[in-house]
Amino acid sequence: QNFLFIKSTMRSALPLFSLLLFPVANCFTVPNLSGQKKADTAAALVDRRSLFENTAAGWAAAAGLAFLSPDAAVASGGATAGGAYLLSAKQRYNNRVKAGMKSFVGLGESLESGSLDATKAYFATDDEGGWKDSSSAGYLLANAFRRSSSTAPDSLPSVKKWKAFLGNVEAMMKALKKKDSKTVLASYKKALPALDEYLAEVDLPPALEL
């Protein structure tokens, strides 16, 4: 899943590699030393070895940039914003978001009947398909929809929609602690349209189609 990300970053590193390759090629060009003293020959070889070592260090730096992982890009605030990073984020988070939101929609039947058991299990589990995993993936996916690494997350439409949905879910969780099934159901019903608005912003189908 990182192939497209690496391919994109390699393209940006190619000019740097080109600049580095030229001096290295010269390192292995044997000069015409006929008529020169042995001391001159030794000095020339030392100079070329030094050039090769310095260029090798440059190679290492370029490779570090070219193969920067998507996780590192996230930590840097989205330095590879758009394009390759967005595609990588979708590959990482789409299925987790869909699994969790599909489970969320499925809570409706039990809540309508007055039962809170399924809802408690949904919020308690750490597994994929539960709230903990899908909420983490949901925010990260929303944060990936940016055109510039300097854009503040809270200004992104996708993040705003996520937080609007999150507000209703948090109201559900508070009511759940009080075992207030009516308020849990009311907050759940408010959350559904907010969920669809979020899903639309991150290029996912409506909740009922997940």
Side-chain angles (χ1 to χ4, degrees):
Q1 68 178 24
N2 290 333
F3 173 75
L4 292 176
F5 178 86
I6 294 173
K7 182 179 179 182
S8 175
T9 51
M10 281 296 292
R11 286 178 180 171
S12 64
L14 282 176
L16 180 58
F17 279 120
S18 298
L19 292 174
L20 293 172
L21 284 172
F22 179 74
V24 173
N26 287 337
C27 289
F28 295 98
T29 302
V30 179
N32 183 4
L33 299 178
S34 60
Q36 294 183 2
K37 296 180 180 180
K38 291 183 178 181
D40 293 334
T41 303
L45 291 175
V46 169
D47 287 343
R48 292 179 186 277
R49 184 174 64 182
S50 177
L51 176 61
F52 174 76
E53 290 172 349
N54 290 337
T55 306
W59 268 7
L65 291 173
F67 291 98
L68 183 69
S69 70
D71 289 338
V74 174
S76 69
T80 55
Y85 174 61
L86 177 57
L87 179 59
S88 176
K90 287 183 175 182
Q91 292 172 337
R92 286 170 175 266
Y93 307 127
N94 272 7
N95 287 339
R96 291 167 58 189
V97 171
K98 288 193 291 185
M101 298 308 114
K102 183 176 181 179
S103 298
F104 181 81
V105 173
L107 298 176
E109 185 176 349
S110 62
L111 288 175
E112 290 284 0
S113 70
S115 173
L116 297 176
D117 292 342
T119 304
K120 288 179 180 178
Y122 173 74
F123 286 115
T125 184
D126 293 322
D127 296 337
E128 184 172 312
W131 173 248
K132 293 179 182 178
D133 180 73
S134 59
S135 62
S136 174
Y139 175 76
L140 291 172
L141 180 60
N143 193 41
F145 281 76
R146 57 173 66 214
R147 294 181 180 275
S148 169
S149 60
S150 62
T151 304
D154 287 346
S155 68
L156 299 173
S158 52
V159 172
K160 289 180 180 179
K161 296 297 184 183
W162 169 256
K163 289 191 172 183
F165 168 63
L166 180 61
N168 291 305
V169 175
E170 288 177 341
M172 282 182 64
M173 296 171 71
K174 289 180 180 179
L176 186 63
K177 289 181 179 180
K178 299 177 181 179
K179 300 180 180 180
D180 183 350
S181 58
K182 290 184 179 180
T183 303
V184 172
L185 178 59
S187 299
Y188 170 79
K189 289 182 176 180
K190 289 181 180 179
L192 291 177
L195 172 58
D196 279 339
E197 290 181 8
Y198 161 73
L199 293 173
E201 282 293 335
V202 294
D203 298 338
L204 288 176
L208 292 177
E209 298 179 16
L210 294 175

